[in-house]
Amino acid sequence: MHIPPLPRTRDLVLIGGGHTHALVLRKWGMLPLAGTRVTVINPGPTAPYSGMLPGFVAGHYDRAALDIDLVQLARFAGARVVLGAVQGIDLDRREIHVPGRPPVGFDVASINVGITSAMPEMEGFADHAVPAKPLGPFAARWAAYLAGTGPARVAVIGGGVAGAELVMAMTHALRSRGRAAQVTLIDRARVLAGLGPRATQRIRQAMEGLGVTLVEGVEIARITAKAVELADGRRIEADFVTGAAGARAYPWLTETGLDTVDGFISVDACLRSSDPMVFAAGDCAHLTDNPRPKAGVYAVREAPVLYDNLRAALGAGHPRPYCPQSDYLKLISLGGKSALAEKWGRVFAGPAMWRWKDRIDRTFMDRFRELPQMGQPALPELHSAGLSEALGDKPLCGGCGAKVGRSALRAALAPLPGAIRNDITPLPGDDAALLSTGGVRQVMTSDHLRALVEDPVLMTRIAAHHALGDIWAMGAEPQAATATVILPRLSPELQQRSLTEIMAAATEVMRAAGAEIVGGHSSVGDELTIGFTLTGLCAQDPITLAGGRPGDVLILTKPLGSGIVMAAEMAGQAPGTDVAAAYAHMTTDQGAAARILTTARAMTDVTGFGLAGHLHGICEASGTGAEIALDAVPLMAGALALSEAGHRSSIFADNRMLVPELPATGAAALLFDPQTAGGLLAAVAPDQAQTCLAALIKAGYPAARIGTLTEKPGLRLAR
């Protein structure tokens, strides 16, 4: 008996991808709570692990070693990812505000956004310095500075453990590269005042051995482009200034209406804020009953408690308190591959401590890189012939990867009778038809996609741009749209939240394109599907597949690879940064590109049948062949590496059969990759190609000249 998927009834939203939330997501993937829709909101697709920052700054780790991949982690946990920085929470409406998208509704929320070391009150800091936290922007700025040449002048503000680790790591890195370095650590009080005397003495000796200058007991007057000016009149020359002076809460936390202490969210022993359905953990939280220092060890140990208490708030189990330890092991990097360990006043230092710290850090990060792989469920012992082959060995792709193959599609459409109305002009091979109404020419098309992302807003934007591609490809201006939405099984509250998000996103995209949504239809099914039927107005004859001529230049407006990247993402194997870049390409508006290409002789949008299949369609309709300059074809970040690792979209094999004369190895395999909301492929007269290409690049499109149409039939690669 078929058992339908269980409906989702509650929204859990995790704000921030800090250590606590990362561990909660991992645990959720191992043991999810049925009926809960989980969302994680983070500014980017990765979350850095601060414990390895000194090692990165010193040059012991590369940048990627610090990153927890939230896209892969969310896929494992069955969660949706929203990329953006939260700016506020409306407790009355139970909504979280993220710029550039509709509010995210919640029933239970948790905040784990860390801290910042920005010092807006210090004159010149915002213009001439970079805070050490958040880590991502700091790491990028430091890497760029370290890559420079000549003498270095660095100043670190804040003489706590974080500042001491940074200043030693920076000095080690600069001198390892042969750069003369003047490095200064500045504190208004005494450096390392919070540590025990034995640890303080050993670290001060380490800094002295590296040649770090300590400036203590003095206020900073201002920061300029070339120096840190002190209140006593001294001037410390510096062209890289960073701040690691204590913990500062993000300003928006105080505007939520939640109780705070010094800007940090007050929480009880169960990590609940003054609103019992809003939790907080890590450095952004203040433990009211048992205040603790801002240290990653507490965030890590809060994770299992937070996991249990979130489940309790959602209706499963009972809350339990978090009982922090009174002291914790401090492992402090000393610049090179040496570290100091301190606990209960006992101190040990040397290379062995570094190896211990390195092993602890790598073990922690491996928890997110070695996620258990969930295989497909076993088939019933008794099943019909061909079921195993039809199921395949990979999950069914979403987007255009879920299309029916062209061979099956053509076979199904071939027996249908031709049009019987004289106001409809079929356009063989094109995805739209030409309608004539009262002297006005319209094109009409319909497209829908099986969801390839969990976020309904992002999926709507992808589906809308995908559907608009057929209108733009014919040189028409989008006019009207109807929306078709199939929602997965949700409670009435979650249905309303999802539809509100979907329609807000759809309206935004369509109006930006010049179209208006005039209606639609919604229903409930096993999974999210979003589609649009569109009309467009033609001021001139529509651009079809049939106008190409030998010698025409082929121009592509977007890179290839979305099918492979999304197939790998479904398998939990695509790097989150590559996935985020693919999302950006799939939601890039092509209206301006279409207007630039209005003189094209033939044009199509590259979607489900891949570049080779859609170019084959132009050649077939135009009576030409084509030559592709493979090295000139733009590819999405990571797509080639994922392809060579064996990742393929569901429809790849069908697409390969359309153009068997082309190779399917190396970069050529990307020619058969189905694209979702792909680029426009235009055949342009040779004397206009350079002008069009220059205009596309000036407009911000990653467009490229990828080949030419030829008299000789068939597709081939240029030599």
Side-chain angles (χ1 to χ4, degrees):
M1 182 176 68
H2 173 67
I3 301 175
L6 295 173
R8 301 205 175 161
T9 61
R10 292 291 184 270
D11 269 321
L12 168 62
V13 180
L14 305 178
I15 302 171
H19 307 346
T20 314
H21 279 174
L23 289 166
V24 166
L25 282 169
R26 189 185 190 281
K27 194 169 178 64
W28 200 278
M30 302 294 289
L31 187 61
L33 179 62
T36 303
R37 180 169 64 177
V38 181
T39 301
V40 57
I41 306 175
N42 197 66
T46 61
Y49 171 49
S50 57
M52 296 174 78
L53 174 62
F56 162 75
V57 171
H60 307 319
Y61 304 119
D62 60 27
R63 179 65 184 85
L66 277 65
D67 284 336
I68 299 171
D69 195 316
L70 292 178
V71 173
Q72 291 186 1
L73 189 56
R75 170 62 70 179
F76 173 72
R80 62 171 173 166
V81 178
V82 172
L83 300 181
V86 170
Q87 286 192 339
I89 303 175
D90 187 327
L91 296 177
D92 294 329
R93 296 176 62 87
R94 314 311 273 178
E95 290 179 344
I96 298 161
H97 295 286
V98 183
R101 61 163 292 134
V104 180
F106 72 91
D107 296 294
V108 177
S110 180
I111 306 170
N112 182 214
V113 295
I115 56 176
T116 177
S117 50
M119 292 177 259
E121 74 283 355
M122 186 176 293
E123 183 179 343
F125 188 94
D127 295 326
H128 305 298
V130 53
K133 289 190 176 184
L135 188 153
F138 169 81
R141 290 277 293 274
W142 171 247
Y145 184 78
L146 190 60
T149 58
R153 302 176 303 173
V154 174
V156 178
I157 302 168
V161 170
E165 283 192 300
L166 270 183
V167 81
M168 289 186 286
M170 289 172 154
T171 307
H172 174 83
L174 290 165
R175 293 186 175 171
S176 296
R177 286 159 179 76
R179 295 178 67 181
Q182 173 190 312
V183 186
T184 306
L185 181 61
I186 308 167
D187 196 275
R188 64 169 61 176
R190 181 169 172 79
V191 168
L192 298 170
L195 275 182
R198 293 183 62 196
T200 298
Q201 182 184 9
R202 295 289 294 269
I203 296 172
R204 290 175 76 98
Q205 288 173 349
M207 288 191 285
E208 182 180 354
L210 287 165
V212 174
T213 300
L214 302 184
V215 177
E216 303 173 271
V218 62
E219 297 282 351
I220 293 172
R222 68 190 57 83
I223 299 170
T224 69
K226 295 295 181 181
V228 177
E229 297 181 2
L230 304 179
D232 62 9
R234 284 181 288 172
R235 176 184 169 90
I236 299 171
E237 302 294 328
D239 44 31
F240 188 96
V241 180
T242 186
R248 287 170 169 77
Y250 286 99
W252 66 266
L253 296 177
T254 61
E255 300 169 3
T256 59
L258 299 170
D259 291 348
T260 59
V261 173
D262 298 327
F264 300 100
I265 299 171
S266 298
V267 297
D268 64 14
C270 294
L271 306 178
R272 291 175 299 212
S273 73
S274 54
D275 184 316
M277 291 295 111
V278 178
F279 293 72
D283 288 349
C284 70
H286 174 79
L287 292 165
T288 306
D289 297 336
N290 196 351
R292 296 285 91 194
K294 303 300 182 186
V297 65
Y298 295 112
V300 169
R301 295 190 179 186
E302 286 168 350
V305 176
L306 180 63
Y307 169 82
D308 288 343
N309 292 346
L310 291 174
R311 290 170 63 94
L314 291 161
H318 302 282
R320 65 185 179 101
Y322 166 62
C323 301
Q325 64 271 42
S326 58
D327 193 15
Y328 64 97
L329 174 66
K330 304 168 189 70
L331 285 167
I332 300 168
S333 297
L334 300 177
K337 290 188 176 181
S338 180
L340 177 143
E342 191 270 345
K343 187 176 182 182
W344 303 119
R346 302 184 67 185
V347 174
F348 302 91
M353 296 302 101
W354 161 262
R355 291 192 292 273
W356 188 19
K357 174 176 167 51
D358 177 62
R359 185 165 61 251
I360 290 171
D361 288 337
R362 291 182 184 273
T363 300
F364 177 78
M365 292 300 289
D366 285 345
R367 298 174 73 178
F368 306 107
R369 296 187 177 129
E370 299 173 0
L371 298 170
Q373 295 299 307
M374 303 299 183
Q376 295 213 53
L379 290 175
E381 182 179 355
L382 300 176
H383 58 267
S384 61
L387 180 59
S388 179
E389 293 78 6
L391 184 63
D393 58 355
K394 297 179 181 179
L396 176 63
C397 289
C400 260
K403 282 189 76 166
V404 173
R406 176 171 276 186
S407 299
L409 189 60
R410 283 189 168 181
L413 296 177
L416 297 180
I420 60 173
R421 296 183 61 96
N422 57 16
D423 55 356
I424 297 175
T425 304
L427 301 172
D430 281 287
D431 289 331
L434 179 63
L435 313 179
S436 298
T437 307
V440 176
R441 289 179 294 185
Q442 288 179 305
V443 291
M444 183 176 182
T445 187
S446 184
D447 228 319
H448 73 270
L449 297 175
R450 176 180 182 265
L452 48 79
V453 297
E454 292 285 341
D455 179 15
V457 170
L458 178 57
M459 191 60 229
T460 301
R461 289 174 174 163
I462 292 170
H465 284 100
H466 180 81
L468 285 162
D470 290 336
I471 301 295
W472 285 323
M474 301 191 78
E477 290 291 334
Q479 178 195 22
T482 59
T484 303
V485 179
I486 301 175
L487 290 177
R489 298 184 70 196
L490 303 168
S491 68
E493 275 191 341
L494 267 62
Q495 285 183 356
Q496 184 267 324
R497 285 177 185 165
S498 296
L499 282 174
T500 298
E501 288 186 320
I502 288 168
M503 294 313 299
T507 300
E508 172 199 5
V509 174
M510 291 299 173
R511 285 189 171 174
E516 201 70 58
I517 295 181
V518 296
H521 179 76
S522 62
S523 60
V524 173
D526 281 350
E527 57 189 4
L528 178 64
T529 302
I530 301 174
F532 297 92
T533 297
L534 280 155
T535 61
L537 298 175
C538 292
Q540 59 184 27
D541 289 339
I543 304 171
T544 68
L545 300 178
R549 303 176 193 173
D552 282 354
V553 173
L554 295 170
I555 293 176
L556 180 65
T557 64
K558 285 187 183 183
L560 304 181
S562 65
I564 285 171
V565 173
M566 291 299 105
E569 192 278 323
M570 287 192 68
Q573 299 297 308
T577 51
D578 293 345
V579 175
Y583 292 158
H585 285 303
M586 288 188 280
T587 54
T588 296
D589 187 288
Q590 298 236 89
R595 288 185 284 276
I596 291 168
L597 293 168
T598 52
T599 58
R601 289 174 171 162
M603 189 154 66
T604 186
D605 58 330
V606 180
T607 53
F609 303 131
L611 176 65
H614 288 282
L615 178 55
H616 178 266
I618 288 179
C619 293
E620 192 176 52
S622 298
T624 68
E627 194 171 77
I628 302 168
L630 186 60
D631 290 345
V633 177
L635 304 179
M636 291 185 183
L640 181 57
L642 291 169
S643 173
E644 291 177 340
H647 294 286
R648 293 285 186 271
S649 188
S650 304
I651 200 177
F652 180 92
D654 283 332
N655 287 351
R656 176 75 182 87
M657 292 173 61
L658 293 173
V659 193
E661 64 267 28
L662 289 177
T665 57
L670 275 294
L671 301 177
F672 307 102
D673 186 46
Q675 304 303 290
T676 301
L680 297 174
L681 175 64
V684 179
D687 60 345
Q688 297 178 359
Q690 189 54 42
T691 300
C692 287
L693 185 59
L696 287 166
I697 293 171
K698 184 178 179 180
Y701 293 97
R705 174 175 177 160
I706 65 162
T708 56
L709 295 183
T710 62
E711 289 189 7
K712 183 179 178 180
L715 270 60
R716 65 197 67 86
L717 300 182
R719 295 184 179 180

